[in-house]
Amino acid sequence: MGNRDQMQDRFASGAQYIAGQLRPGTSGRTQDIVDPATGETVLSYELAGTGDVDAAVAAAREAFPQWAGATPGERSDALHAFASVLAAQADDFARAESLQCGKPIKLSTEFDVPGTVDNTAFFAGAARHLQGQSAGEYSGDHTSYVRREAIGVIGSIAPWNYPLQMAAWKILPAVAAGNTIVLKPAEITPLTSLMFAQAATEAGIPDGVINIVSGAGLGAGEHLVGHPDVAMTSFTGSTAVGKRVAEIATSTVKRLHLELGGKAPFVVFDDADPEAAIQGAVAGSLINSGQDCTAATRVYVQRPLYEQLTAGIADVMASVRVGDPFDPSTDLGPLVSHTHRDRVAGFVERARSYARVVTGGAVPKGRPEGAFYLPTLIAGAAQDSEVVQSEIFGPVLVILPFDSDEEGIALANDTPYGLAASAWTRDVYRAGRATREIKAGCVWVNDHIPIISEMPHGGYKASGYGKDMSTYSFEEYTQVKHVMYDNTAVAAKDWHRTIFGDR
C-alpha cells in the first residue's frame, strides 16, 4: 500500500473521512501530497472547507450518545479489535508513512507503526479504568464519589512529523474515554490518519466516532477550533500556532490541551560514559531527520569532555547513511519538504557568521530532487544565539561547554521551552539533581528519546500543557463530576441556620 498508484486508487473518493465514508473536500482548493525523497506527487486531493468541518462535527455529535453510553468493556473490546486490524496492516502503514514523510522505512517499521499498535492496545485496557475517588463520607452526613464522564466532541489538530503516531495520541484516549472526535491532520501528510480511521471502521468502531478532515489550518483548522459544538481542542504543533489556537479556543470557553515546540538539552557531566553520550547524541538528534520536538538539539558538555565529544559526534554524524527512505540500509531520509529543508539550511547559513559548522551544513551531492540535508554539528555558538534558542526542527545539533554543575543545569533551562531533556552521568546524586531541577516534562538519564505508552508525554513553559499517552491523558479527555448524597433524611439541616432561622 506504499506506492503512488495504490494511494490514488484508495483515496479516489476523496481525502475526508466523515461518518465512516471517504468524500471529497469542498473548499475549492487542491493539495498535492509530495514524496519528499523524489519530489513526485503521490496524491492530489480537494482540501476540506468549513462545510466539511461542520459535517464532521455533526457526525461526531450524532455518534456521541451511543459511544459515550457504551460500557467500558464494550469500548475496550472495540479498541482491542482495532489494535488487531492495525497489526495486520502494519506493512501498509509503514510504507505509506515513509512515502508521505520521507522517513526511513526502518524507522516507520520499527518505531512509528509498532508504537501505534501498542498505544492502541494500551488504551483498549485503559478504557476499563476510568476511575474516580473512592466513595466516602467526607462531610459525615453525606456520601461523595467522583464520576469521570466523556466531554463530547473533540476537535484535534495533529502535525506532519509523526502523522500516524500523532493521530493515535489524539484519537485513542479521547475515544477510550467515550468521546467522539474530528481530527485535522497536516494537509501535506494525511494518508496514515485516513488509513487509521478506516481501520477503526473495519474493527467495528461505529461511524462518526472518528472523523478526519484534511484541510488547511487557516480554513478548516480555525473553524474546527472555534466550532460551538466542539467541547475540547487538542493541538500539537509549533508554539506560535499554539498561541493562535489558544486565542480561538478561549473565546468559546472550551477545554484546551497543547503540546508545542521544544529545544531539548542534552547535558553531559564529566563523569559520563563518553562513548554512550556520543552515540546517544547522534541518535537523539537525528531521529526522524531531527523533525521531533523532543529531539536532542543542544548538547552541553562539561569542559573536560568537550573536545572529545565534539570530535566523536562529528565522526559518527559523518558516517550516517543518507538516502532512499525505502532502502533498508538508509539511516537518514529527507526532510518533509523542500520548503522546510530550505528553512533548516537558513539557520545553518546564518550561524556561519557567529559559529563553526563542524560537519554537515549542506545538501548532499547527487540528490537534487529530494529535500535532503546532511547531519550537522555546530560549535562555538553563544547561548543567546538563534541556533541555541530557536527550534530548527532538522538534523542540526549545537554543542556548547560548561564548567560547574550549576551552570550546566542553568543553561539547560535557559530557553522558553520545556518539553524534554536528558542528563548523562554515572553519579546517582548528579542524576537526581538534574531530574529535579531541569524544567521539562520528560527527563531521561543516560538515554534520550524512548517513549512508552504507560508514561505521559507533555511539556512545561512554552512547550504547552496537558499530557498525551498514559492514563494521565484521561485527565484531558474526561469531565470530573462530584456526586453527593445526603445520608440523614433530615428535612431541616443544621447548616440551614446559617441562611435562616435559629439552631
Side-chain angles (χ1 to χ4, degrees):
M1 184 50 69
N3 68 48
R4 295 166 189 82
D5 291 342
Q6 288 172 316
M7 287 299 161
Q8 290 168 4
D9 290 344
R10 181 164 189 161
F11 298 109
S13 300
Q16 317 302 324
Y17 196 73
I18 300 171
Q21 298 292 326
L22 286 170
R23 51 186 271 182
T26 60
S27 70
R29 297 170 52 203
T30 301
Q31 174 70 45
D32 290 340
I33 300 171
V34 177
D35 177 351
T38 65
E40 297 177 5
T41 298
V42 175
L43 178 73
S44 294
Y45 72 93
E46 295 173 72
L47 286 164
T50 56
D52 302 306
V53 173
D54 290 341
V57 171
R61 189 178 181 187
E62 182 177 354
F64 176 73
Q66 176 192 356
W67 185 249
T71 67
E74 289 168 338
R75 290 197 294 268
S76 176
D77 288 346
L79 288 171
H80 277 300
F82 188 12
S84 296
V85 172
L86 293 172
Q89 298 177 9
D91 184 62
D92 289 347
F93 274 97
R95 295 187 64 81
E97 193 77 334
S98 288
L99 185 64
Q100 67 179 350
C101 299
K103 62 182 68 191
I105 191 66
K106 66 178 180 179
L107 183 67
S108 296
T109 302
E110 298 178 30
F111 182 69
D112 296 72
V113 175
T116 300
V117 174
D118 182 75
N119 214 234
T120 308
F122 171 80
F123 279 106
R128 290 179 176 264
H129 298 284
L130 281 169
Q131 296 172 346
Q133 191 171 7
S134 299
E137 287 67 51
Y138 298 99
S139 77
D141 290 337
H142 307 82
T143 296
S144 289
Y145 68 89
V146 170
R147 291 176 55 88
R148 283 192 176 275
E149 298 180 350
I151 296 172
V153 177
I154 312 299
S156 291
I157 299 177
W160 48 257
N161 58 333
Y162 290 103
L164 176 60
Q165 289 203 80
M166 294 298 100
W169 286 15
K170 299 299 182 194
I171 291 169
L172 294 170
V175 301
N179 301 286
T180 55
I181 191 167
V182 178
L183 173 77
K184 191 198 87 66
E187 62 268 33
I188 61 173
T189 56
L191 297 178
T192 48
S193 299
L194 291 162
M195 292 168 62
F196 191 74
Q198 289 179 309
T201 299
E202 290 179 44
I205 292 176
D207 294 347
V209 172
I210 299 172
N211 306 275
I212 309 294
V213 289
S214 306
L218 290 178
E222 291 201 354
H223 190 63
L224 178 62
V225 173
H227 200 290
D229 290 335
V230 169
M232 173 185 164
T233 291
S234 178
F235 170 81
T236 296
S238 72
T239 298
V241 177
K243 291 177 180 178
R244 175 60 181 156
V245 169
E247 289 174 359
I248 299 170
T250 300
S251 69
T252 56
V253 198
K254 52 171 56 80
R255 185 84 67 90
L256 184 61
H257 168 215
L258 298 174
E259 198 265 270
L260 307 178
K263 190 71 177 175
F266 185 107
V267 184
V268 184
F269 296 97
D270 57 15
D271 68 324
D273 178 341
E275 185 61 24
I278 289 167
Q279 297 291 322
V282 175
S285 64
L286 298 186
I287 185 171
N288 202 36
S289 297
Q291 299 167 132
D292 186 312
C293 48
T294 63
T297 60
R298 300 176 287 140
V299 174
Y300 295 104
V301 186
Q302 207 149 27
R303 205 168 297 273
L305 294 182
Y306 177 73
E307 295 298 335
Q308 181 181 356
L309 259 74
T310 300
I313 291 170
D315 287 346
V316 177
M317 278 188 164
S319 73
V320 168
R321 299 163 296 186
V322 180
D324 177 4
F326 287 97
D327 182 339
S329 68
T330 292
D331 298 320
L332 192 78
L335 295 168
V336 74
S337 69
H338 288 78
T339 299
H340 185 60
R341 190 271 311 277
D342 293 345
R343 176 185 176 275
V344 170
F347 278 98
V348 178
E349 291 309 305
R350 291 189 295 274
R352 293 183 192 277
S353 65
Y354 57 81
R356 175 171 62 97
V357 177
V358 181
T359 190
V363 174
K365 296 178 181 178
R367 292 192 173 275
E369 73 284 355
F372 294 92
Y373 198 74
L374 291 174
T376 300
L377 180 66
I378 296 174
Q383 176 66 16
D384 62 355
S385 62
E386 180 186 49
V387 290
V388 175
Q389 293 293 323
S390 298
E391 188 174 31
I392 299 173
F393 225 58
V396 180
L397 184 62
V398 184
I399 188 165
L400 303 94
F402 69 91
D403 292 304
S404 68
D405 289 17
E406 290 79 8
E407 181 189 12
I409 291 172
L411 290 170
N413 286 329
D414 185 28
T415 71
Y417 301 105
L419 186 59
S422 62
W424 296 73
T425 177
R426 287 180 276 204
D427 184 321
V428 66
Y429 298 104
R430 269 179 160 169
R433 180 182 182 183
T435 59
R436 290 192 304 272
E437 296 185 8
I438 293 176
K439 305 304 181 187
C442 175
V443 181
W444 293 281
V445 178
N446 296 327
D447 208 343
H448 194 109
I449 283 299
I451 54 174
I452 50 176
S453 297
E454 290 83 358
M455 288 291 112
H457 175 86
Y460 284 31
K461 303 189 294 185
S463 292
Y465 45 83
K467 299 299 179 185
D468 289 310
M469 299 199 298
S470 80
T471 55
Y472 289 97
S473 64
F474 285 138
E475 296 176 6
E476 314 301 321
Y477 293 101
T478 55
Q479 192 73 260
V480 174
K481 177 186 286 185
H482 170 214
V483 178
M484 196 175 202
Y485 284 90
D486 170 60
N487 293 330
T488 66
V490 174
K493 306 283 194 294
D494 186 56
W495 70 267
H496 291 177
R497 66 185 176 79
T498 63
I499 312 304
F500 66 93
D502 300 315
R503 185 184 292 275

